[in-house]
């Protein structure tokens, strides 16, 4: 039998920044590291080297990532960089990370697990095989709590939105094989996951790159397409929540699955604007679709559908009239959840060259105006839920009760259902509650009688 104490440990510090897609990359790297017997720590102390998973989406994220690399270099000295910033060049075409921090050991772009592992092996050879430290749970290493998990279905994007540089960092759409995605979901379900958050850059486009090729799951042929994916996931006894869905006509096909309770009646659709001219300047996918009509049709099919969206204020050339068009759209669309960002130029994005940039202060002012405008709409929609009974999933217990979420609330970005008498519940429990009150973001509830 192997003697544990005789095996020299190798410890990798891991720092992860960025969006759920970056977190999903991080989980794959962590799973491989752990599978090969590396110890993992969230800091620098005692680490033999540090991997920094970066974000390069907007300039503020670039700064944050460069600072994190600088800190890791100062505290530890041996740093491997991965993630979106790793693929980003400056105006002169030089690699931003290497130019700013020439002492980093290696740099890779996003979704580059093999390259990161090669770099780790080169600078910190794997420890000798030891069955005690090589154990990785079948569901891999996850950065989310045990009861929910992200399921990344594709990488990259075929669109070229003018404010975005993700396609230049992550490349064109590459859909994961449907059999592999469904197997991963099954493993997560078996590990006790209660909610799956389906993510990608463009979830509705799943399978386009492989012409909806037929794959296999459990010996059964299944098309690589969002509808078939959702149908299969809907059989796995977990909440299934869709993020980053564009309003293509094909999305209509998913609504019956929501009506039947197979997947959650929730759509995260990043509309970004309502003015036709601005959407064209943004080069948004599905910008010419009749969005309000589509939303009305969705709600007809699934009356309790929750729609979340994000918008950009102060995009180059946005006039006051076009901004007001956006506010009018919000009045009509009555979206449940809205996030807003003041336009922030991203180096390398085509939108930077557009004429008539909106002054910084006005972009911010419009963002605040949009949020205030939406606040009344969201509050009214929350008030309409008072008195209703619903099923919620518990995320956390604290002195105020149980912090839970309903079908209408995605983790981290939406509101909570606070169960004031839920102290005895456990994280990951489903509970039936009655809604008694609300504020601007959250609902308050008590446990419903059985
Ligand atoms: S859809 Fe547009 S914003 Fe989203 S990743 Fe693709 S190019 Fe970027």
């Amino acid at each position: 039998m192997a003697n544990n104490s005789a095996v020299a440990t190798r410890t990798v510090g891991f720092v992860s920044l960025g969006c759920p897609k970056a977190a999903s990359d991080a989980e794959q790297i962590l799973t491989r590291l752990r599978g090969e017997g590396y110890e993992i720590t969230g800091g620098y102390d005692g680490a033999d080297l540090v991997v920094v998973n970066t974000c390069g989406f907007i300039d503020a994220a670039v700064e944050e990532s460069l600072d994190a690399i600088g800190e890791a270099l100062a505290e530890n000295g041996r740093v491997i960089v991965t993630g979106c910033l790793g693929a980003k060049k400056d105006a002169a075409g030089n690699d931003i990370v290497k130019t700013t921090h020439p002492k980093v050991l290696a740099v890779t772009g996003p979704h580059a697990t093999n390259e990161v592992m090669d770099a780790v092996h080169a600078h910190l050879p794997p420890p000798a095989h030891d069955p005690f430290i090589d154990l990785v749970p079948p569901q891999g290493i996850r950065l989310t709590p045990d009861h929910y998990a992200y399921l990344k279905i594709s990488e990259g994007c075929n669109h070229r939105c003018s404010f975005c540089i993700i396609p230049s960092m992550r490349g064109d759409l590459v859909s994961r094989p449907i059999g592999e995605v469904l197997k991963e979901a099954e493993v997560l379900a078996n590990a006790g996951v209660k909610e799956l958050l389906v993510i990608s850059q463009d979830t509705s486009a799943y399978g386009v790159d492989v012409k909806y090729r037929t794959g296999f799951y459990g010996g059964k042929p299944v098309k690589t397409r969002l509808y078939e994916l959702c149908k299969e996931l809907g059989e796995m006894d977990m909440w299934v929540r869709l993020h980053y869905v564009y309003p293509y006509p094909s999305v209509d096909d998913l609504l019956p699955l929501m009506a039947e309770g197979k997947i959650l009646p929730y759509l995260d659709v990043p509309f970004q604007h309502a003015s036709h001219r601005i959407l064209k300047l943004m080069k948004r996918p599905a910008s010419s679709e009749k969005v309000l009509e589509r939303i009305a049709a969705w709600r007809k099919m699934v009356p309790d559908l929750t729609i979340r969206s994000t918008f950009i204020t102060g995009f180059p050339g946005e006039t006051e009239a076009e901004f007001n068009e956006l506010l009018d759209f919000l009045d009509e669309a009555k979206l449940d959840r809205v996030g807003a960002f003041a336009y922030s130029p991203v180096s390398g994005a085509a939108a930077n060259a557009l004429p008539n940039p909106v002054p910084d202060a006005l972009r911010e002012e419009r963002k605040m105006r949009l949020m205030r405008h939406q606040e009344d709409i969201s509050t009214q929609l929350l008030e309409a839920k008072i008195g209703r009974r619903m099923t919620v999933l518990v995320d956390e217990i604290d002195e105020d009760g149980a912090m839970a979420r309903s079908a209408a609330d995605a983790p981290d970005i939406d509101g909570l259902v606070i169960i004031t008498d839920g102290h005895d519940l456990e994280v990951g429990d489903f509970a039936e509650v009655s809604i008694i009150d609300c504020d601007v973001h959250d609902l308050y509830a008590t446990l419903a009688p059985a």
Side-chain angles (χ1 to χ4, degrees):
M1 192 179 187
N3 177 352
N4 236 357
S5 60
V7 179
T9 56
R10 306 269 198 272
T11 303
V12 175
F14 203 95
V15 177
S16 192
L17 306 163
C19 64
K21 282 148 275 193
S24 177
D25 284 356
E27 288 174 347
Q28 285 176 22
I29 298 167
L30 288 168
T31 299
R32 285 277 299 277
L33 286 168
R34 204 64 196 95
E36 293 187 12
Y38 290 95
E39 293 289 332
I40 310 289
T41 165
Y44 315 113
D45 257 9
D48 296 300
L49 61 76
V50 178
V51 175
V52 181
N53 186 28
T54 59
C55 175
F57 185 45
I58 56 169
D59 291 355
V62 171
E63 281 306 310
E64 191 193 1
S65 293
L66 288 173
D67 288 351
I69 298 165
E71 191 180 306
L73 280 169
E75 299 286 327
N76 182 282
R78 288 162 54 77
V79 177
I80 291 170
V81 175
T82 183
C84 288
L85 183 60
K88 206 168 170 184
K89 310 269 182 223
D90 62 18
N94 299 315
D95 183 307
I96 291 182
V97 173
K98 280 201 182 130
T99 311
T100 318
H101 294 299
K103 289 199 174 135
V104 295
L105 300 174
V107 182
T108 82
H111 56 94
T113 307
N114 289 339
E115 289 87 334
V116 173
M117 292 309 297
D118 288 349
V120 171
H121 293 156
H123 297 281
L124 186 67
H129 175 78
D130 182 300
F132 290 97
I133 56 174
D134 286 1
L135 283 177
V136 176
Q139 71 275 22
I141 307 288
R142 292 193 287 112
L143 298 173
T144 45
D146 287 348
H147 60 288
Y148 66 82
Y150 292 105
L151 182 70
K152 185 153 66 167
I153 59 171
S154 60
E155 288 290 354
C157 180
N158 284 347
H159 302 295
R160 295 295 180 262
C161 300
S162 57
F163 55 81
C164 177
I165 52 163
I166 284 176
S168 67
M169 294 190 292
R170 291 189 169 242
D172 281 340
L173 177 79
V174 179
S175 300
R176 292 179 61 202
I178 186 134
E180 187 184 303
V181 173
L182 289 170
K183 186 72 207 158
E184 182 176 328
E186 184 190 310
V187 169
L188 290 167
N190 291 338
V193 165
K194 307 281 180 60
E195 176 178 3
L196 273 186
L197 305 139
V198 176
I199 56 164
S200 69
Q201 306 297 343
D202 175 1
T203 296
S204 345
Y206 179 60
V208 165
D209 55 317
V210 292
K211 302 192 172 55
Y212 307 118
R213 180 169 62 207
T214 299
F216 288 88
Y217 169 62
K220 193 173 73 175
V222 191
K223 264 192 173 182
T224 309
R225 196 166 59 172
L226 188 58
Y227 173 78
E228 280 78 2
L229 175 71
C230 289
K231 200 159 173 272
E232 293 296 330
L233 292 176
E235 300 299 323
M236 291 192 188
D237 208 18
M238 288 181 282
W239 276 7
V240 176
R241 192 184 293 284
L242 302 182
H243 288 282
Y244 316 118
V245 173
Y246 289 99
Y248 298 120
S250 62
V251 173
D252 299 1
D253 299 341
L254 304 174
L255 275 289
L257 295 177
M258 296 182 184
E260 287 167 33
K262 298 284 184 200
I263 61 173
L264 290 179
Y266 181 99
L267 282 174
D268 174 6
V269 192
F271 292 119
Q272 307 299 18
H273 213 281
S275 146
H276 189 62
R277 191 185 76 91
I278 296 292
L279 286 168
K280 274 191 90 172
L281 288 175
M282 288 179 168
K283 295 199 175 12
R284 289 297 287 166
S287 65
S288 59
E289 305 295 341
K290 295 182 174 127
V291 168
L292 283 170
E293 282 174 30
R294 177 137 280 125
I295 291 175
W298 289 345
R299 289 211 169 111
K300 212 165 164 194
M301 282 190 267
V302 182
D304 61 348
L305 177 69
T306 296
I307 305 176
R308 136 167 284 276
S309 191
T310 48
F311 295 92
I312 295 174
T313 60
F315 188 77
E318 183 194 60
T319 62
E320 191 62 23
E322 283 161 339
F323 175 67
N324 283 324
E325 217 179 301
L326 175 50
L327 298 186
D328 291 345
F329 171 84
L330 292 178
D331 285 336
E332 279 210 54
K334 298 212 180 329
L335 305 176
D336 301 81
R337 307 286 188 187
V338 166
F341 301 92
Y343 174 73
S344 163
V346 177
S347 341
N352 301 345
L354 289 171
N356 307 319
V358 175
D360 273 3
L362 188 54
R363 294 180 212 161
E364 285 294 334
E365 194 266 333
R366 284 182 182 164
K367 175 182 124 181
M368 298 312 293
R369 244 195 297 162
L370 185 151
M371 290 314 285
R372 273 201 305 274
H373 194 88
Q374 174 64 29
E375 225 165 73
D376 289 343
I377 300 168
S378 298
T379 308
Q380 278 172 23
L381 292 169
L382 288 179
E383 278 170 357
K385 295 183 179 178
I386 296 175
R388 280 180 56 184
R389 186 183 164 119
M390 56 180 73
T391 306
V392 296
L393 177 59
V394 176
D395 277 342
E396 212 182 308
I397 309 287
D398 70 16
E399 64 277 10
D400 295 327
M403 306 297 124
R405 290 176 296 104
S406 71
D409 315 302
D412 296 331
I413 50 176
D414 294 330
L416 293 173
V417 179
I418 299 159
I419 313 169
T420 51
D421 58 352
H423 300 86
D424 293 336
L425 292 166
E426 291 189 10
V427 171
D429 278 353
F430 282 111
E432 285 293 308
V433 299
S434 304
I435 304 302
I436 52 169
D437 199 1
C438 75
D439 57 27
V440 181
H441 299 290
D442 301 323
L443 293 168
Y444 294 84
T446 51
L447 291 167

